[in-house]
Amino acid sequence: PRTGASGAGRSAVPGARWGRSVDYVWSLLMVAVMTVIGLLLVEVLDLGNIALLFLVPVMFAAANFSLRAGLFAGLASSLAYNFCFLPPTGTLTVANPENVVSIIVLLGVAVVTSQFAARVRAQADLASASARQNAALASFSRQLTACATREELMPAICADIARLIDVHAVLLLPSPQGPALAAAFPPEDTLGQIEMAAAQWAIDNEQPAGRSSATLIASDWLFHPLRASRAENGRGVLGVLGIARTDARDPVRSDQLPLLMSLLDQASIALDRMTLEEESVKAREIAQRDRLRSALLSSVSHDLRTPLTTILSAAQELRQTLGESQDAVSRTEGALAATIESEAQRLNRFVANLLDMARVEAGALPMKPEAIDLFDAVASAAHDTRDALTGRRVDLEIPADIPLVRLDPVLLHHCLINLLDNAGRYGDPGTAILVRCARTREGLILSVIDQGPGIPQGEELRVFETFTRLEGSDRVRQGTGLGLAIVKGFAEAMGLAVAASNADGNADAGADAGADAGAGRGTGACFTIAIPEGLLVSPLHDEDIL
């Protein structure tokens, strides 16, 4: 840090409270001039009028120099008036007692006059200082308003505060690794470990830290937090501003503290505004991207439905026609037609998922709840996904006394289809799929468990994100990453909660459901749908609750 030219001002100079010595020299010189003028006019004016001449240097000294300079001029005027004009002249002796009164009155008038003049001067100085501070704040605010980006704003804050307070300045932003140096003036300024600790303390406690504060005074820098205008948004402290000098003085004088606080408030507002603008721009970009994606999904899926329906119908008719012929060529062509039909059905499911995802993101899910038997719902979903589950067995562990649930049958059917299709596609070949329903105090837990590598630790929430397929798990094989996102969207629309875990550590899946069901299942993935008690058609009894 540098030593400022204006430095500490008068308050830092020894004896500055008595004023400058040149002020007393000028005061004494003016008294001498008034004495000479009085001597020239002594034959014309009486002694009372000559005494008034000495009020001029008193008022001038008090108004332009200081109160003490005015009092000194008043005392010098009394002595000069006594020495030169009151008989016996040439001495400080007063022969006539009436002249003593004149001296006392002159001295008293000089004191009162100097006090009034000094008060007026102090008010003028205060008004001038206030005007300068307001002008500095206005200029600072204009400089910050002109900054269009955070990269322009932070150096401008440091440069202007360093110029106005005559210090070195640094700006640090909070980060997971600790305070990060964002700007400095001069740019070559660096901070040590003590300074970084003081900056971190200021961020954590939202209080000043460092030199001339109550905390970590070993630091050469004083750090002030820049607080957000709306802390309820979770931003708290936006950053900390550090100031320092190269000499032994404190970073900021007491008379500069109000200006510094005003500058910090302006900087906080500007930095908060820039943060809000950046967040607003990001939110608009995300909203626009989501709207475009939803529009694209909806448009593509609608445009594909008609040709897909035509392809499916043609493939089915061709397969049936070729199936009636017994020659080898027809059988080969029939197999090709069956492949076309199968792939067209898979593409049709993909288009249906696109439409469903667009409906979820648009919030356009018509709800028609009715009483549903979970066993029938799961059996119907298993029947509709029989092609995807070829070569697999679906084990149902749904007790007969499970109550009906009041849900939308179409949305629930879509959820179960996607869960079963997901288990059939990602489970190990030839393994069984377990669908289990268990009662809890909160309602029902419906679980779909496959036998495969499972889900990586810590990725249980990401698996439900749109277009997410996790590396190193059974979620990375062929697929679009939409099925589980649709399950989550439909389930939440019905008031249900979905979760993912690995089967070996999932308590809700029912580890005690039976040795035959649980034997040899490995880890695998377990997806659960929690149905709250409020959606059950008949209430649960205490003896039925696990």
Side-chain angles (χ1 to χ4, degrees):
R2 60 181 176 175
T3 303
S6 59
R10 294 185 179 183
S11 61
V13 178
R17 59 193 183 94
W18 291 100
R20 300 176 302 172
S21 58
V22 67
D23 296 342
Y24 295 92
V25 173
W26 279 106
S27 299
L28 191 60
L29 182 60
M30 286 185 292
V31 171
V33 171
M34 289 299 106
T35 303
V36 173
I37 294 176
L39 291 174
L40 296 176
L41 299 177
V42 69
E43 301 297 334
V44 180
L45 301 177
D46 57 18
L47 293 179
N49 293 328
I50 291 177
L52 296 177
L53 293 175
F54 289 98
L55 294 180
V56 174
V58 173
M59 296 179 61
F60 184 86
N64 292 277
F65 301 145
S66 65
L67 174 61
R68 289 181 173 84
L71 295 176
F72 173 78
L75 180 60
S77 298
S78 300
L79 294 176
Y81 178 67
N82 183 17
F83 186 83
C84 298
F85 298 99
L86 295 181
T89 59
T91 65
L92 295 179
T93 303
V94 180
N96 189 351
E98 294 180 359
N99 292 333
V100 176
V101 176
S102 300
I103 295 174
I104 295 175
V105 170
L106 175 60
L107 184 59
V109 171
V111 171
V112 174
T113 303
S114 63
Q115 287 181 337
F116 284 146
R119 185 176 302 174
V120 171
R121 178 177 177 272
Q123 292 176 350
D125 290 343
L126 182 61
S128 178
S130 178
R132 289 194 301 270
Q133 178 172 325
N134 291 335
L137 290 175
S139 175
F140 183 66
S141 179
R142 285 194 300 270
Q143 292 286 343
L144 300 187
T145 304
C147 297
T149 63
R150 184 189 291 263
E151 288 70 22
E152 296 178 2
L153 176 64
M154 293 186 291
I157 290 175
C158 290
D160 284 357
I161 291 181
R163 175 178 57 85
L164 294 172
I165 307 297
D166 201 15
V167 293
H168 278 200
V170 294
L171 180 60
L172 298 96
L173 301 180
S175 69
Q177 294 75 31
L181 184 62
F185 189 87
E188 63 271 11
D189 277 336
T190 58
L191 302 177
Q193 293 183 353
I194 297 179
E195 285 72 23
M196 285 297 184
Q200 185 64 57
W201 193 94
I203 293 175
D204 295 338
N205 297 274
E206 300 187 17
Q207 296 292 332
R211 186 180 177 87
S212 75
S213 71
T215 305
L216 296 174
I217 58 176
S219 170
D220 292 333
W221 292 74
L222 171 63
F223 295 93
H224 282 273
L226 301 177
R227 301 179 181 88
S229 58
R230 293 183 292 177
E232 65 272 12
N233 290 344
R235 289 193 297 273
V237 174
L238 301 172
V240 289
L241 181 82
I243 57 176
R245 299 179 186 271
T246 54
D247 52 24
R249 291 178 291 154
D250 289 338
V252 60
R253 302 195 311 266
S254 58
D255 61 306
Q256 291 178 326
L257 192 58
L259 175 60
L260 176 62
M261 293 297 102
S262 299
L263 294 174
L264 292 176
D265 290 340
Q266 293 281 351
S268 299
I269 293 173
L271 197 58
D272 195 19
R273 172 182 58 81
M274 192 65 66
T275 302
L276 291 175
E277 288 180 357
E278 292 176 353
E279 292 176 355
S280 177
V281 169
K282 291 180 181 178
R284 288 196 299 268
E285 291 176 352
I286 293 174
Q288 183 178 8
R289 184 170 64 248
D290 289 343
R291 286 195 299 269
L292 290 175
R293 184 177 63 180
S294 297
L296 179 62
L297 292 177
S298 179
S299 176
V300 170
S301 57
H302 277 95
D303 291 342
L304 288 177
R305 293 304 284 274
T306 301
L308 275 176
T309 303
T310 303
I311 293 173
L312 279 172
S313 300
Q316 290 172 356
E317 185 176 350
L318 180 61
R319 182 171 56 82
Q320 292 174 359
T321 301
L322 295 175
E324 298 174 357
S325 178
Q326 300 299 321
D327 59 279
V329 175
S330 297
R331 287 196 299 270
T332 302
E333 293 176 348
L336 292 176
T339 301
I340 293 174
E341 180 183 1
S342 175
E343 293 302 314
Q345 288 176 346
R346 190 163 70 90
L347 184 57
N348 190 47
R349 287 196 301 271
F350 170 63
V351 172
N353 282 342
L354 288 177
L355 271 176
D356 292 340
M357 199 68 244
R359 291 164 60 198
V360 169
E361 294 183 349
L365 293 177
M367 297 287 294
K368 296 181 180 179
E370 58 183 63
I372 301 174
D373 185 279
L374 285 179
F375 186 91
D376 293 340
V378 174
S380 175
H383 178 269
D384 289 348
T385 55
R386 60 187 181 277
D387 292 337
L389 302 180
T390 301
R392 299 178 184 276
R393 185 180 77 255
V394 178
D395 298 332
L396 302 184
E397 294 185 2
I398 303 178
D401 58 347
I402 287 293
L404 303 179
V405 294
R406 189 171 299 279
L407 299 172
D408 185 283
V410 177
L411 299 185
L412 179 61
H413 188 69
H414 276 283
C415 290
L416 294 174
I417 284 179
N418 280 288
L419 288 177
L420 289 173
D421 180 73
N422 179 81
R425 186 164 57 247
Y426 299 133
D428 293 338
T431 58
I433 299 171
L434 172 64
V435 180
R436 171 186 295 149
C437 187
R439 297 183 177 186
T440 65
R441 293 187 178 276
E442 290 77 21
L444 299 177
I445 296 292
L446 183 65
S447 306
V448 178
I449 308 172
D450 63 44
Q451 299 182 46
I455 302 173
Q457 189 71 23
E459 301 289 348
E460 291 83 358
L461 296 179
R462 282 193 61 230
V463 75
F464 291 105
E465 295 178 1
T466 307
F467 302 113
T468 296
R469 290 166 23 177
L470 304 179
E471 296 290 341
S473 72
D474 60 1
R475 311 299 115 186
V476 75
R477 303 178 188 176
Q478 63 175 356
T480 61
L482 283 175
L484 295 179
I486 291 173
V487 171
K488 179 178 176 64
F490 283 9
E492 291 180 348
M494 293 185 290
L496 311 179
V498 295
S501 63
N502 289 315
D504 58 343
N506 188 67
D508 291 336
D512 58 347
D516 294 337
R521 289 198 171 275
T523 56
C526 175
F527 293 90
T528 60
I529 299 178
I531 305 173
E533 187 176 356
L535 297 178
L536 304 185
V537 174
S538 58
L540 297 177
H541 300 288
D542 291 340
E543 61 270 14
D544 298 326
I545 299 176
L546 291 178

